[in-house]
Amino acid sequence: MEGGKPTIALVYQAVQALYHDPDPAGKERASVWLGELQRSMYAWEISDQLLQLKQDVESCYFAAQTMKMKIQTSFYELPPETHNALRDSLLSHIQSLKDLSPIIVTQLALAIADLALQMASWKGCVHTLIEKYNDDVSSMTFLIEILTVLPEEVHSRSLRIGANRRTEIIEDLAYYSSTVVTLLTTCVEKTGNDEKMLIKVFRCLGSWFNLGVLDSNFMASNQLLIVLFQVLQRDETSTNLHEAASDCVCSALYAIESVDTNVALAMQLFQGVLTLETAYHMAVAREDLDKVLNYCRIFTELCETFLETTVRSPGQGMGDLRTLELLLICAGHPQYEVVEISFNFWYRLGEHLYKTNEPALHAIFRPYIQRLLHSLARHCQLDPDHEGIPEDTDDFGEFRMRVSDLVKDVIFLVGSMECFSQLYSTLKDGNPPWEVTEAVLFIMAAIAKSVDPQNSPTLTEVLEQVVLLPETVHIAVRYTSIELVGEMSEVVDRHPRFLDPVLNYLMKGLREKPLASVAAKAIHNICSVCRDHMAQHFQGLLDIARALDSFALSTEAAVGLLKGTALVLARLPLEKIAECLSDLCAVQVMALKKLLAQSPTNGKTADPTVWLDRLAVIFRHTNPTVENGQTHPCQKVIQEIWPVLSQTLNTHQADNRIVERCCRCLRFAVRCVGKGSASLLQPLVTQMVSVYQVYPHSCFLYLGSILVDEYGMEDGCRQGLMDMLQALCMPTFQLLEQPLGLRNHPDTVDDLFRLATRFVQRSPVTLLSSGIIIHIIQCAIAATTLDHRDANCSVMKFVRDLIHTGVSNDHEEDFELRKQLIGQAMEQHGQQLVTQLMHTCCFCLPAYTLPDVAEVLWEIMVFNRPTFCRWLEVALKGLPKETTGGAVTVTHKQLTDFHKQVTSAEECKQVCWAIREFTRLFR
């Protein structure tokens, strides 16, 4: 903080402003100032003073939260000799503030727990805390709070205590776990039915179950388990206590996932949960939805835990199928939120049975899945008084989408054909109300694609009937029937006689506002699947495309229709494609020209993105088969359109969103005609480079990578593309060299290294012989620390591919030269790269990026193993060996073992495994 340590009065004033200033700007200023204070060294002392003064809840909460944050993120600021004093002071604060507010107690408990985990000199902290406060009833609330958060913090993302310390702590907690459970049992005996205390006890017990350190035999015969189920069986249990007990049972069930090693406890929990069926029915009768949801969570967790046992020995012992009955009882509840809880279990059951693939086993579970599907179809019904089409963005719409996904995943157990026929017969033989019809059509649409279209009379009959639905039926039924037709496009492809009636039916929908978008999506599906049959209807598609804005379509549906049209266009005879493509693009080009001719209103020019996106989708999906030597039919059209795109790009060059859409459109245009876009190369590159100097939009780098991919192999283009790379790199490096430049511009990093990687793939010698390569490598080394999925992936791929060009002898004549150039680069940067990669994967990157790091290290090692061994040894010597709390991070043996595992690896995945294990020591 500038200006030294602030006074307590000033801090107090800022906290008051944060909570009570009526002016939002005042609140914001206070928040920024307090944030700076929290990051400074003064925060330790000031928090301690505020907690001693106990002036009010707000200042104490701020101080407690600051303490927790400092211990989590800045513990290294304190010298080791102050650790004991900090511990004693926190314990005295929590004792004196225990009645002020529960949230302050929680923050202080977290601070104490995080301190205990990092402070290696505080041995047996659980034991010392219990000894100190065990006999004092008034200390029980905060003691249990500390014992609740302690196991939760062991795997906290904000503490990097390392695997060695974590293992030591878990062993320590396991050793004292029965002492904790005994304390909780005594506490329940003493306080009897004190609801608040029971909630705390259950939360604490659940926390220890979650860590997986409780002795399951000790727990199986423990009084607390009996109390838990008594609370859940009692009708008069309050909502909060019921939820705490349910959470605790779910944690216990999760903890015994490996049932075979926890038989006694598994049996107790299994039998205990089965006794809750009556209580569930009672909650239903009382319309207590909170309790119903809790029971359903418990039943689902029971089924998840015993899933493997149930599949292995259905109906026997703990494979008892009553567990599935409980879930089907829940599926019968009228509220759809109840059945939704169990979806993950049904997915997993389906997956297990699909893998085992035993008909006899499938037969046992088939009736349960049939009953589930029956319930789901009922839950998908709209209200009888619903007006308009089904909403797909509200909660119920999202529930129906999840049902559709689940049905697709479990339908194999029942048989798609049988299910489809059964559903259809309920419509054919009965005369159900509209909402039942709509829900049945919805489920049929979910499974239509998995029914074999080859020899299914039901499918063709359904199509015949659906297209005859009168316009008088409820609009939601028409909406879902159109979705069903779209899902049956393969049937249309096998039976082309349906094409005309189906298209007529969909055209009717297209002309009605509520049905337009769903009809457009169905037409897009038919175009994608029936491309050859649709060629004869191309004129009709073109007429729709020309009048696209006369239909009430969503942006997505309009683009989808154009995609369908382009897919069919690509199947026309070559000589017709150019003319038809020109027609298809004309509407969009005219619109862009019109926008360019308009004068800006209020200094703003009209937005061209709709038209750019439509052109992009046309170029992207017009991919005709062109033989060698033939001129690409789209070449002429794209050359004609280029001036309009160029002008649009110039007009909107300051607007990142519009420039991105322009580049996207040009990318698909270049990809569409490949080498046929050569005449655009010069003007396009010139424009890109000149705009990029003023407005460095990263999409220009991406577009550059597309150009290198298409033309990098052409001798006549290489130098021009190299000049482009150099011209784009200068402003890019300026941007990334700013403070926090890499972190603030991950898209630029991503696209820069995509461009560099394309050069490595298409013309490595051109890149390696240039002066710019040194700067690109240095930038890559700096960017390896960037925790951003796409950007990091691009950087690692570039380094990997670069080194690989010196490894892979592809018998090209330039191999020796490549090897020599890579050798020079590695001589200069190898040690720095290896050191940075080791530091990065220990301290900066999440675990999912480690396979990429492993690939880079593997390539360096394959290129020159003896030198790599030395580089890795130097890198490992530079890593810290112990934490600020005095715990050993990494032993000498762990370092030497890791060095040996990596340097003796015979394939890349061994390097990856070694890194994964090693970096756990620093997380």
Side-chain angles (χ1 to χ4, degrees):
M1 295 202 82
E2 289 172 25
K5 180 179 149 192
T7 63
I8 286 288
L10 192 59
V11 177
Y12 187 67
Q13 205 179 328
V15 172
Q16 286 303 307
L18 180 68
Y19 287 101
H20 305 297
D21 193 329
D23 173 21
K27 268 188 180 359
E28 182 54 32
R29 276 197 304 276
S31 172
V32 170
W33 189 84
L34 288 168
E36 265 182 51
L37 170 64
Q38 284 183 319
R39 285 187 292 279
S40 77
M41 275 293 288
Y42 304 119
W44 295 103
E45 193 185 339
I46 284 172
S47 310
D48 194 46
Q49 287 175 307
L50 286 171
L51 290 167
Q52 258 167 348
L53 287 169
K54 273 207 290 197
Q55 217 152 352
D56 55 24
V57 173
E58 285 106 339
S59 62
C60 286
Y61 177 70
F62 168 74
Q65 191 203 23
T66 303
M67 266 303 185
K68 177 201 72 178
M69 206 179 90
K70 292 298 280 185
I71 290 171
Q72 278 181 354
T73 59
S74 313
F75 187 54
Y76 60 87
E77 291 177 351
L78 295 181
E81 61 272 15
T82 60
H83 295 172
N84 282 339
L86 174 64
R87 175 192 63 195
D88 298 344
S89 134
L90 285 171
L91 289 171
S92 91
H93 290 320
I94 199 167
Q95 186 153 24
S96 72
L97 294 164
K98 61 179 183 285
D99 301 324
L100 188 59
S101 153
I103 55 172
I104 294 173
V105 171
T106 301
Q107 292 298 315
L108 286 171
L110 282 164
I112 292 163
D114 291 340
L115 176 66
L117 296 178
Q118 293 179 88
M119 187 174 153
S121 59
W122 186 2
K123 303 279 183 213
C125 64
V126 171
H127 183 66
T128 52
L129 288 168
I130 290 177
E131 283 228 309
K132 184 167 178 159
Y133 300 112
N134 191 8
D135 300 332
D136 176 17
V137 177
S138 68
S139 302
M140 226 16 125
T141 47
F142 72 78
L143 173 60
I144 291 180
E145 188 66 31
I146 298 172
L147 294 175
T148 303
V149 296
L150 186 64
E152 290 170 352
E153 289 295 286
V154 172
H155 293 290
S156 159
R157 288 276 169 105
S158 29
L159 293 179
R160 300 186 75 100
I161 55 178
N164 286 336
R165 174 70 180 149
R166 199 167 277 114
T167 306
E168 186 188 335
I169 289 160
I170 291 172
E171 284 170 2
D172 199 44
L173 294 183
Y175 182 76
Y176 291 112
S177 61
S178 47
T179 316
V180 173
V181 175
T182 307
L183 170 82
L184 296 177
T185 315
T186 314
C187 191
V188 171
E189 283 163 4
K190 279 185 187 166
T191 54
N193 293 335
D194 176 0
E195 184 181 308
K196 279 187 177 164
M197 190 49 95
L198 264 181
I199 291 175
K200 282 185 188 307
V201 167
F202 290 161
R203 266 195 57 221
C204 186
L205 183 61
S207 171
W208 285 74
F209 266 128
N210 287 335
L211 189 61
V213 292
L214 294 179
D215 179 309
S216 68
N217 289 331
F218 175 71
M219 285 313 300
S221 55
N222 190 273
Q223 185 62 30
L224 281 181
L225 221 52
I226 298 167
V227 176
L228 256 182
F229 285 110
Q230 280 172 350
V231 164
L232 288 169
Q233 284 158 355
R234 269 208 307 270
D235 181 33
E236 59 277 10
T237 298
S238 74
T239 306
N240 289 349
L241 180 57
H242 198 273
E243 186 173 5
S246 302
D247 288 344
C248 187
V249 170
C250 288
S251 297
L253 284 165
Y254 185 76
I256 55 153
E257 197 77 81
S258 49
V259 175
D260 301 341
T261 52
N262 299 294
V263 178
L265 179 57
M267 200 65 205
Q268 289 297 326
L269 290 168
F270 185 84
Q271 288 167 341
V273 175
L274 287 179
T275 63
L276 300 178
E277 189 184 333
T278 319
Y280 167 83
H281 289 301
M282 193 55 152
V284 174
R286 294 206 186 278
E287 294 185 7
D288 188 339
L289 186 59
D290 288 332
K291 285 188 181 176
V292 167
L293 291 167
N294 286 336
Y295 288 124
C296 188
R297 278 195 303 133
I298 294 173
F299 298 157
T300 304
E301 203 62 66
L302 177 77
C303 288
E304 296 250 18
T305 293
F306 292 97
L307 172 60
E308 288 185 16
T309 317
T310 311
V311 173
R312 196 172 55 222
S313 49
Q316 295 162 25
M318 287 189 273
D320 193 326
L321 294 171
R322 275 185 299 168
T323 54
L324 297 190
E325 289 290 349
L326 288 175
L327 282 197
L328 289 172
I329 290 171
C330 292
H333 191 279
Q335 301 284 91
Y336 69 85
E337 294 89 343
V338 180
V339 68
E340 195 169 17
I341 291 173
S342 65
F343 277 16
N344 190 52
F345 166 74
W346 295 112
Y347 274 123
R348 283 186 58 204
L349 176 66
E351 198 178 36
H352 263 67
L353 293 171
Y354 189 75
K355 281 179 187 161
T356 48
N357 197 14
E358 289 173 29
L361 198 57
H362 289 191
I364 293 172
F365 290 96
R366 183 171 297 125
Y368 292 94
I369 299 295
Q370 280 169 331
R371 286 162 60 194
L372 174 70
L373 291 175
H374 187 78
S375 287
L376 292 175
R378 202 185 60 255
H379 279 296
C380 283
Q381 290 172 19
L382 298 162
D383 284 335
D385 55 1
H386 177 92
E387 290 177 9
I389 61 171
E391 281 295 328
D392 52 2
T393 49
D394 61 2
D395 288 347
F396 185 55
E398 283 181 12
F399 166 74
R400 288 187 11 141
M401 291 321 295
R402 289 193 65 198
V403 168
S404 174
D405 291 342
L406 178 58
V407 169
K408 288 184 177 98
D409 278 1
V410 298
I411 195 65
F412 73 92
L413 280 164
V414 180
S416 317
M417 189 58 251
E418 294 85 325
C419 186
F420 197 81
S421 305
Q422 267 178 0
L423 288 165
Y424 176 54
S425 62
T426 60
L427 299 183
K428 196 169 68 165
D429 305 338
N431 184 14
W434 75 263
E435 69 276 12
V436 175
T437 302
E438 190 277 336
V440 169
L441 290 171
F442 177 77
I443 301 288
M444 286 169 76
I447 57 178
K449 273 193 179 145
S450 57
V451 180
D452 177 13
Q454 193 59 43
N455 47 7
S456 166
T458 311
L459 284 173
T460 49
E461 193 184 329
V462 167
L463 256 186
E464 273 170 355
Q465 293 304 314
V466 166
V467 297
L468 294 175
L469 272 175
E471 292 180 26
T472 49
V473 297
H474 194 293
I475 195 138
V477 174
R478 289 179 63 203
Y479 180 93
T480 305
S481 72
I482 290 173
E483 275 194 317
L484 174 59
V485 171
E487 291 295 309
M488 294 177 76
S489 43
E490 283 180 24
V491 184
V492 179
D493 193 41
R494 293 281 168 89
H495 306 276
R497 67 176 193 277
F498 286 118
L499 196 54
D500 284 3
V502 161
L503 287 175
N504 289 335
Y505 182 64
L506 296 178
M507 278 308 298
K508 276 187 210 160
L510 196 62
R511 292 192 191 97
E512 284 186 55
K513 189 176 178 182
L515 302 175
S517 290
V518 73
K521 190 178 167 192
I523 293 173
H524 162 207
N525 275 357
I526 301 272
C527 289
S528 304
V529 176
C530 317
R531 288 167 78 171
D532 294 319
H533 299 308
M534 282 298 291
Q536 56 181 334
H537 290 279
F538 185 74
Q539 195 51 49
L541 289 171
L542 197 54
D543 293 340
I544 296 174
R546 284 194 183 124
L548 207 51
D549 291 308
S550 65
F551 304 107
L553 296 174
S554 67
T555 316
E556 190 187 355
V559 166
L561 254 178
L562 288 173
K563 175 183 170 181
T565 308
L567 288 170
V568 175
L569 166 64
R571 292 293 167 95
L572 298 183
L574 276 190
E575 62 279 4
K576 288 188 112 175
I577 289 181
E579 178 197 347
C580 293
L581 178 65
S582 192
D583 279 358
L584 190 54
C585 294
V587 181
Q588 342 300 330
V589 175
M590 288 304 296
L592 286 173
K593 282 182 173 166
K594 196 173 154 191
L595 292 185
L596 289 167
Q598 285 173 8
S599 45
T601 48
N602 305 333
K604 273 198 166 180
T605 41
D607 186 347
T609 50
V610 170
W611 314 104
L612 291 168
D613 287 353
R614 290 181 184 181
L615 277 176
V617 81
I618 294 168
F619 295 144
R620 184 177 192 173
H621 297 285
T622 306
N623 43 15
T625 314
V626 182
E627 302 297 331
N628 268 344
Q630 289 180 304
T631 305
H632 198 293
C634 306
Q635 191 173 320
K636 181 167 161 289
V637 183
I638 285 172
Q639 279 167 354
E640 287 165 6
I641 292 175
W642 158 248
V644 181
L645 292 177
S646 172
Q647 211 182 330
T648 304
L649 179 55
N650 251 344
T651 306
H652 298 278
Q653 56 181 282
D655 186 325
N656 183 50
R657 188 178 62 92
I658 296 176
V659 171
E660 225 166 59
R661 299 307 231 294
C662 275
C663 285
R664 189 169 170 274
C665 187
L666 286 161
R667 160 189 160 196
F668 290 124
V670 169
R671 286 289 197 211
C672 172
V673 292
K675 307 278 181 286
S677 58
S679 60
L680 298 186
L681 197 54
Q682 190 62 48
L684 175 55
V685 168
T686 309
Q687 186 173 2
M688 280 164 56
V689 167
S690 79
V691 175
Y692 193 78
Q693 306 297 323
V694 191
Y695 300 107
H697 303 299
S698 77
C699 51
F700 286 127
L701 299 171
Y702 188 85
L703 187 54
S705 73
I706 302 292
L707 297 175
V708 173
D709 196 36
E710 291 289 345
Y711 293 101
M713 310 280 275
E714 306 289 306
D715 287 339
C717 301
R718 284 176 171 167
Q719 194 47 50
L721 290 169
M722 193 64 231
D723 295 342
M724 171 193 80
L725 175 67
Q726 293 191 304
L728 292 172
C729 274
M730 288 312 149
T732 305
F733 291 151
Q734 282 172 352
L735 187 70
L736 299 179
E737 280 162 7
Q738 294 169 359
L740 299 181
L742 292 165
R743 190 190 296 179
N744 293 340
H745 304 283
D747 295 350
T748 301
V749 175
D750 183 12
D751 293 332
L752 170 68
F753 287 101
R754 274 173 196 268
L755 170 56
T757 303
R758 288 293 190 202
F759 248 109
V760 170
Q761 291 164 349
R762 293 286 173 259
S763 183
V765 173
T766 314
L767 179 64
L768 286 163
S769 319
S770 70
I772 197 89
I773 184 66
I774 295 294
H775 302 290
I776 294 178
I777 291 174
Q778 284 170 337
C779 183
I781 291 174
T784 53
T785 58
L786 194 58
D787 176 8
H788 181 282
R789 191 182 283 263
D790 296 340
N792 198 284
C793 186
S794 282
V795 173
M796 295 299 176
K797 184 168 171 43
F798 162 72
V799 182
R800 189 197 79 98
D801 286 9
L802 183 75
I803 300 164
H804 190 70
T805 52
V807 172
S808 64
N809 188 352
D810 41 20
H811 306 294
E812 297 279 338
E813 64 276 8
D814 64 357
F815 174 63
E816 284 307 323
L817 176 56
R818 291 197 321 247
K819 192 173 175 181
Q820 183 194 335
L821 290 166
I822 293 289
Q824 290 167 0
M826 290 308 289
E827 223 169 283
Q828 263 183 293
H829 303 286
Q831 179 67 71
Q832 188 193 354
L833 175 62
V834 173
T835 302
Q836 179 79 315
L837 284 172
M838 282 317 302
H839 175 84
T840 292
C841 57
C842 290
F843 300 108
C844 309
L845 296 182
Y848 68 77
T849 60
L850 296 181
D852 296 344
V853 178
E855 286 191 358
V856 176
L857 293 172
W858 171 253
E859 290 296 339
I860 301 172
M861 184 159 73
V862 174
F863 184 73
N864 186 337
R865 203 176 276 249
T867 314
F868 172 74
C869 292
R870 283 204 311 280
W871 288 340
L872 182 61
E873 189 179 340
V874 171
L876 293 177
K877 279 181 178 162
L879 292 172
K881 310 295 182 286
E882 61 173 51
T883 66
T884 33
V888 174
T889 306
V890 56
T891 64
H892 181 69
K893 183 175 184 315
Q894 286 169 325
L895 285 171
T896 49
D897 286 353
F898 172 67
H899 187 277
K900 188 176 170 188
Q901 284 165 349
V902 173
T903 52
S904 62
E906 291 183 7
E907 48 182 344
C908 184
K909 63 179 177 198
Q910 293 170 315
V911 176
C912 187
W913 290 333
I915 290 183
R916 204 162 248 150
E917 282 305 309
F918 183 71
T919 53
R920 285 196 180 121
L921 301 171
F922 297 88
R923 288 179 193 281

